Amino acid sequence: MPPIELPLLERDRELAALSAVIGELGSGRPAVVTVTGEPGLGQNDLLRWAAAYATDAGLRVLGAHATPAEHEVRYGVVAQLLAEENRALAPRLFLTDEQPGGLPGLNGLLNAVRDRPTLLVVRDTQWLDPASLRWLEALARRLPRAPVALLTSTTGTALTRPEWSVGTPLTGLATTIELALPPLTSSGTATAVLRAFGAPGDPAFTEALAEATRGIPAVVHDVLDRFARAGHSPRADRIDPLRALTAEVVGDHATRALSDLRDPAAVDALRALAVCGDLLDFPLVCTLAGPHSVSESRLRAALAASGLTTLRDGHPRVQDAVVRARVLEEMPVADRAELYARAAGLAQRVAADDQGIADLLLLARPVGDPWAVDTLRRGFTSALRGGRRDLAVAYLARALDEPLAAEDRARIEFQLASVEMVTAPAAAERRLGGLIRATRPGPGAGLRARATDLCLLGGDTRAARHALAGAIDSAPAAPEPRRGPTGAPAVPPEAEPPSTPRTHLVPHRPYAGTPPGAAGPDGRRSAAPPDLPGTPRAHDGPRSSGPEAVGRPDTAGPDEDPAVAERHELTVLCRVASFLRHDDADLDVLPVPALPDAVHNPAVAGVWAWEHGVVGLHREEVRRLARSAFVPAATGRPLLVVPRLLGCRALLLTDDGDEAENHLGALLDESHRERAAISVAHILTVRAELHIRHGRPDAAARDLAAAQAELPLDRLHPLFLPYWLALSMITDLQNGHTERARETAARPLPPLAHESATTAQLLFARGVLARTADEPHQAREHFRACGRWLLRHGCVNPAVQPWRSLAAEAAHTLGDTEEAGRLVHEEVRLARRWGAAAPLGRAQLSLAVVTEENRVENLRAAVATLSAAPARTAYTRAVIELAAAEREENERRTAVALGPAATVLPPVVPPPGPHVPSAARPFGRPPGPRPAVLTGRRTVKAPGHDAAVWHGLTTVERETAALAAQGLGNREIATELAVTTRAVELRLSGVYRKLRIRGREELRALVQEAEGS
């Protein structure tokens, strides 16, 4: 297709002025017209139009075009002007020596124009040679006596400003006009699109074109021509190809302008400006460009004439990134790196912005000075603070190119890998692998445990095995640990609170199948669990704190040897890796070793606490070991993240949630300070689980959202994906977002996710979702699968997940009373052996639900047990069940049916969660009168409609608030009031806004306060 032709758009004012000048020239009136503007605005197009217009009017037209190549050619432009009038004169202009005051051909021209008015057209006068410039200035002085008009164009600021410019007295009585061309407006750009395609473009397309081309007509023309040739149409969905094509066109224009720039001083200044023009003032840029005899003002003029720069804040600046890239790509690589290095050094000497200096160092050769590494590390911190992880990674990777001490290099490698775990996990694993393989003594080997810890957070379970193998090969044999009288390793005194009886554990490996003493989902029971030396039996009384129970360590424990301490840390990390993913079948992976016979190391204590916590034995010892995971070692070794996270989860199993929350907060602050996004994300997810266990779904949702902001799900390792999805599902269910939970449950999982120990969490969450939807068959299958998975990984403790009790309730609904009784009695036994209030109370509650015998007594026991537990939703459900049971047993009415006044609140229906079913009644309970909530023996009633707490609420809002205050979910409230769930959500939002509260917890508090409770 032929190239598109565009008219002179938005140049009506200039065309009118030129038409008037040409008309007056025909009457013998001289004029001088200068058309200015940056390159591409159409100056020469206007001059060509004027030449054609004057020719049509019968005027003589003489033209010339100044070029950079002829800038040093004497009388080059004059020769072009006079070539048509006197062809014999042009050669003599170049061959004869210039006489003082001589202006060859000028008098002849003036004589020739007396009988015919003449228009002289000179394009690009910024490139005039000095002789032609003097010649034209002499002509301008004689214009009032001759019918001649001088029409010129210039780009930017001419190297030497002609004397015929506006504001000079040179031209005398001649008309002097300067036309400054502006860029096209949005309307002009839209007109160009219409002329190019024959149809108007989409407004978004036109706006993007105007922005990308800056309204430069030459660029607009080339872009539209190439765009049309590529077969595109001006639609909004073609904006991305448009921008790419515009960048290519702008680059081509910049390349042509660069080829016209012949002055070496201007080229050097332009390159220096492209490197650091946004960071340094122009005088410093000239200093960086090197010693030249050219003045600063002449350099400014040359750069402006090239059209490659623009003025911002009074200083030349390269137009954009595309032009900057074209300017610098012409340089050899070594010269460019040297220029960046010199620019960084100059910027550092004048105390420029750290971020700007770091940007210069990214493309510079190694500087070799300490300030370079310090600047790059400060830039790393600043980039992370601004959310630019990719830039932060580039800064630290560049710092590794500088000469560094071994210790500093290892630390930077580790810090870089902690960020790459989010941006480029494969690169982070390779980098950490290099640290792990540094088995020689020194600072690199000192980071091996921390590198392995970080690998586990990223999901690389094999790194721990290889790290341990390297530690065993390189470390000396560890001395035999000091043992107490019972033969168990000694717990350091500083890890225990004062006045606490001391007990000890020996190493214990999680059971590979169904642990001894536990019944699996199929009902088969294994042998009774062996008692661990140095620990009391589950049925024994409190252990005495006499000298037999205390094993004092030596003044120098074995972990004070760094090699031994590191080997112990790698051992426990290896066991964690095995717990996350069983890969014993791999031939290149060593078998998992036993736990070390020492608890001097906090990492050993944290993992030990978790392993015995999931087995469900020796709660007090697990609590003590979990606490010791946060006590710094005497050697000053940094605490690892994974063992402390496991210590926090062990404290959750022992009902020490408040203490775990404090440790998680401190760990979160530490990870924020170290800019370790992967650690922050995992800490937030564990804290979300804590909030779920404590009945704070809103806080859990906030932590999960923050965790995904740090580590998006698409960057999360598949081994951890089931755990994160399970927490999201439970949180959504507790917050009433059932549909969102269904979408999460239906999300496909990568194959590796099915090999993780966290799959049990997802199976449990799917079971809770099925329970919420009243699907007992599906719920039971999910809970059974969860149990099989947990038992496979040695998790017997019902505090981990109460899958037995919920599977028992589903079986009870389906009429399988035998399975229900077996599972619930098994959970009660295991929970009583563990001794924590929350799992025991939940087990007692489920026992009362599935068995009629001693139902009221079991419920009272559940209420009494759960009153001391942090799981308040389970306690609320127990109170509701107890109220219903007492009503049935005593044949008295303890709940008032809801009437128009609605003075009695409906029962608390806890939100679904990992430890509480989704409704106050088990599967299959027929609906009936809802009991009131009992606190002890006292019935708590809602304030009446005239109470101050309901001030400002409508009748429907009061009814909805009364139901929500006692714990009913949105679906149950909607069923009760015969409205939609969305209507309930809108009413509750209005209630919270009018009462100036943040949620259901504060609403319950208002209700209780109104009743004086």
Side-chain angles (χ1 to χ4, degrees), residues 457-541:
L457 291 174
D460 183 9
T461 58
R462 296 169 60 86
R465 303 281 187 92
H466 297 306
L468 181 60
I472 293 175
D473 293 339
S474 61
E480 188 67 22
R482 179 75 172 179
R483 297 177 178 273
T486 61
V491 182
E494 64 272 13
E496 298 186 10
S499 66
T500 303
R502 300 173 58 89
T503 56
H504 309 287
L505 292 175
V506 296
H508 177 72
R509 176 180 173 87
Y511 298 96
T514 301
D522 55 0
R524 292 177 293 180
R525 185 186 305 276
S526 59
D531 293 321
L532 300 177
T535 56
R537 293 177 179 270
H539 52 78
D540 288 344

Side-chain angles (χ1 to χ4, degrees), residues 624-964:
R624 189 172 300 109
L625 287 169
R627 289 170 177 169
S628 67
F630 300 94
V631 179
T635 57
R637 293 179 64 84
L639 298 178
L640 304 181
V641 176
V642 171
R644 282 185 286 175
L645 284 178
L646 293 178
C648 289
R649 297 188 68 183
L651 289 175
L652 293 183
L653 302 183
T654 60
D655 284 354
D656 295 300
D658 293 338
E659 184 177 351
E661 188 169 8
N662 292 335
H663 289 308
L664 287 171
L667 188 54
L668 189 62
D669 292 340
E670 175 189 317
S671 298
H672 276 302
R673 287 194 303 271
E674 295 181 354
R675 312 291 178 185
I678 188 80
S679 301
V680 170
H682 282 286
I683 295 166
L684 288 171
T685 54
V686 173
R687 195 169 70 174
E689 180 185 356
L690 183 150
H691 291 318
I692 291 173
R693 288 175 177 266
H694 288 199
R696 300 192 293 261
D698 294 341
R702 288 193 297 270
D703 276 350
L704 286 175
Q708 293 187 23
E710 294 286 341
L711 180 62
L713 286 179
D714 57 349
R715 297 290 182 89
L716 182 66
H717 196 278
L719 291 180
F720 300 114
L721 185 59
Y723 179 58
W724 284 45
L725 295 181
L727 293 180
S728 298
M729 289 177 59
I730 297 298
T731 302
D732 288 337
L733 289 173
Q734 289 187 347
N735 286 319
H737 304 307
T738 307
E739 290 303 319
R740 190 187 303 173
R742 291 186 192 279
E743 294 174 1
T744 303
R747 175 172 178 156
L749 297 178
L752 191 58
H754 298 287
E755 302 179 20
S756 171
T758 63
T759 304
Q761 307 277 350
L762 184 58
L763 292 170
F764 185 88
R766 287 173 174 169
V768 174
L769 177 62
R771 182 181 179 85
T772 305
D774 289 334
E775 299 174 355
H777 283 284
Q778 190 173 357
R780 182 171 67 169
E781 290 307 313
H782 283 309
F783 290 135
R784 282 176 169 176
C786 170
R788 287 191 295 268
W789 203 263
L790 287 174
L791 294 177
R792 173 189 173 188
H793 288 80
C795 297
V796 183
N797 194 344
V800 178
Q801 291 290 9
W803 63 270
R804 296 176 183 84
S805 58
L806 297 188
E809 293 186 25
H812 176 70
T813 302
L814 296 172
D816 191 348
T817 56
E818 181 180 356
E819 181 186 2
R822 175 179 54 79
L823 288 174
V824 75
H825 280 93
E826 177 73 12
E827 178 142 329
V828 169
R829 185 183 65 82
L830 293 174
R832 185 172 287 116
R833 186 182 73 176
W834 176 239
L840 179 58
R842 286 192 297 264
Q844 292 170 335
L845 177 60
S846 294
L847 178 63
V849 169
V850 303
T851 60
E852 294 296 331
E853 184 179 358
N854 300 326
R855 184 163 179 259
V856 174
E857 288 74 10
N858 289 331
L859 286 172
R860 287 173 179 167
V863 169
T865 304
L866 290 172
S867 62
R872 306 313 299 167
T873 50
Y875 170 72
T876 304
R877 182 195 172 200
V879 170
I880 294 173
E881 295 287 353
L882 177 59
E886 287 184 338
R887 182 202 63 192
E888 295 172 1
E889 181 180 293
N890 300 325
E891 296 181 351
R892 59 184 177 87
R893 187 177 182 185
T894 60
V896 180
L898 291 173
T903 57
V904 177
L905 293 176
V908 174
V909 180
H915 312 297
V916 183
S918 59
R921 59 185 175 86
F923 289 109
R925 167 183 281 187
R930 298 182 178 273
V933 176
L934 295 183
T935 304
R937 296 287 184 177
R938 179 170 170 272
T939 302
V940 179
K941 297 183 179 181
H945 278 247
D946 296 331
V949 68
W950 302 135
H951 179 68
L953 302 183
T954 63
T955 302
V956 293
E957 287 177 340
R958 293 176 183 179
E959 294 176 351
T960 306
L963 295 169

Side-chain angles (χ1 to χ4, degrees), residues 4 240 251 254 599 698 811 870:
I4 63 173
D240 288 340
V599 288
D698 294 341

Side-chain angles (χ1 to χ4, degrees), residues 273 277 280-283 296 300 309-318:
L273 198 64
L280 302 179
D281 295 335
F282 190 68
E296 180 183 327
R300 285 176 178 266
T309 64
T310 183
L311 279 180
R312 288 199 298 269
D313 300 328
H315 295 283
R317 298 285 187 268
V318 177

